[in-house]
Amino acid sequence: FAPERPNWVVLMGGGFGKRLLPLTLETPKPLLKVGNRPILETIIEQFKSYGFVQFIISLNYLSDKIKNHLGDGRKLGVTIEYIEEKKPLGTAGALSLIRVPSEEPIFVMNGDVLTTVNFDSFQAYHQAKKNDLTIGVRNFSWTIPYGVVEMKQELVREIQEKPTYHFLVNGGIYLLNAQLIRRIPKNTYYDMTQLANDLIKAGDRVGCFPITEYWMDIGRPDDLIKANQDYANIFQN
């Protein structure tokens, strides 16, 4: 077992999961099963394997079901506290409700992401780069299924047949210095992307950590099917 770490992990579990209806009519998205286990349990176990055992879960939709299922975390060998949003506050706004338990950097992660990212390496990178906020990012490629025409002054300059563009996309995993919590507006809808942009404008260090391991954002029925197909090979080996 990895030695226990003092860092807290905040998991965002308050989403409505509308794109996964009717599966989420009576089950909050983080409790949907992948590999016969709720998504949230797998997330917690992944953090626990690196020594992160202190969790705060942000709740809104069907909050009692999550609390009743996970309780205080004892059955998973961790500590779980809860914060409840009276209204949706976004991925960063909910952080304004927590008491800052320590001065160690805080992981924040969406409650519908399955990944085998190395959280040790993530934290080491954050600290080595002296970042205020580090965002986990994924490579994403998109091929346009047509020939793209480039124009200049009404004349065609070039035609690219089905070009592929490459992007870095937000992976929904963040590590932020604890003092940043105090800069988040209270009781206001505020996303982590807004926080990142505000920090950049203020001159703070915002970096990104490449996620090269398995990563799946379970937002749509197809994602849930794929995650279930992947589960045995990825999380049980």
Side-chain angles (χ1 to χ4, degrees):
F1 289 100
E4 287 191 8
R5 296 178 173 275
N7 311 71
W8 283 76
V9 178
V10 180
L11 301 178
M12 295 295 161
F16 292 93
K18 290 178 181 176
R19 290 179 296 169
L20 282 162
L21 287 169
L23 297 175
T24 48
L25 270 176
E26 296 182 6
T27 304
K29 181 163 64 167
L31 288 189
L32 291 178
K33 289 190 175 178
V34 172
N36 217 26
R37 182 177 216 174
I39 297 167
L40 260 184
E41 278 193 26
T42 298
I43 293 173
I44 289 168
E45 288 292 350
Q46 287 299 111
F47 272 107
K48 182 185 167 189
S49 70
Y50 290 97
F52 298 96
V53 294
Q54 301 180 95
F55 294 86
I56 297 170
I57 302 179
S58 172
L59 303 175
N60 185 340
Y61 178 65
L62 298 178
S63 59
D64 286 347
K65 297 213 169 183
I66 293 176
K67 286 197 282 191
N68 291 340
H69 182 81
L70 294 175
D72 61 6
R74 220 175 311 183
K75 69 177 183 178
L76 295 175
V78 300
T79 300
I80 298 177
E81 297 180 9
Y82 299 94
I83 52 175
E84 291 208 50
E85 303 174 23
K86 300 278 192 289
K87 60 181 182 180
L89 293 175
T91 46
L95 298 178
S96 71
L97 302 178
I98 72 174
R99 59 180 183 85
V100 182
S102 79
E103 290 305 308
E104 297 296 324
I106 297 168
F107 270 105
V108 178
M109 180 166 161
N110 296 346
D112 58 358
V113 170
L114 286 181
T115 182
T116 56
V117 66
N118 186 317
F119 293 113
D120 260 349
S121 299
F122 200 126
Q123 175 159 292
Y125 181 89
H126 174 83
Q127 292 174 324
K129 297 297 183 183
K130 295 183 169 57
N131 288 341
D132 296 290
L133 169 66
T134 301
I135 303 167
V137 296
R138 291 278 295 171
N139 279 313
F140 178 78
S141 300
W142 183 48
T143 300
I144 295 180
Y146 310 104
V148 173
V149 179
E150 186 181 323
M151 301 285 293
K152 187 175 182 183
Q153 294 176 346
E154 299 181 359
L155 292 175
V156 174
R157 290 301 177 197
E158 185 181 8
I159 301 176
Q160 291 188 58
E161 188 60 32
K162 299 178 182 173
T164 298
Y165 295 97
H166 302 278
F167 307 92
L168 289 176
V169 298
N170 184 352
I173 308 170
Y174 313 88
L175 187 59
L176 65 154
N177 292 342
Q179 59 267 30
L180 294 184
I181 301 290
R182 302 182 185 99
R183 290 164 61 176
I184 293 172
K186 299 271 187 193
N187 206 34
T188 302
Y189 191 93
Y190 192 66
D191 271 329
M192 290 298 292
T193 48
Q194 289 173 269
L195 174 62
N197 286 329
D198 287 345
L199 292 175
I200 292 163
K201 286 176 192 165
D204 295 285
R205 288 185 62 87
V206 178
C208 59
F209 179 79
I211 301 169
T212 56
E213 301 89 345
Y214 180 82
W215 177 93
M216 175 67 75
D217 173 17
I218 302 170
R220 301 164 303 165
D222 287 353
D223 302 326
L224 189 60
I225 291 167
K226 179 74 167 66
N228 270 293
Q229 291 168 346
D230 295 341
Y231 190 87
N233 287 330
I234 301 297
F235 292 98
Q236 293 180 334
N237 284 346

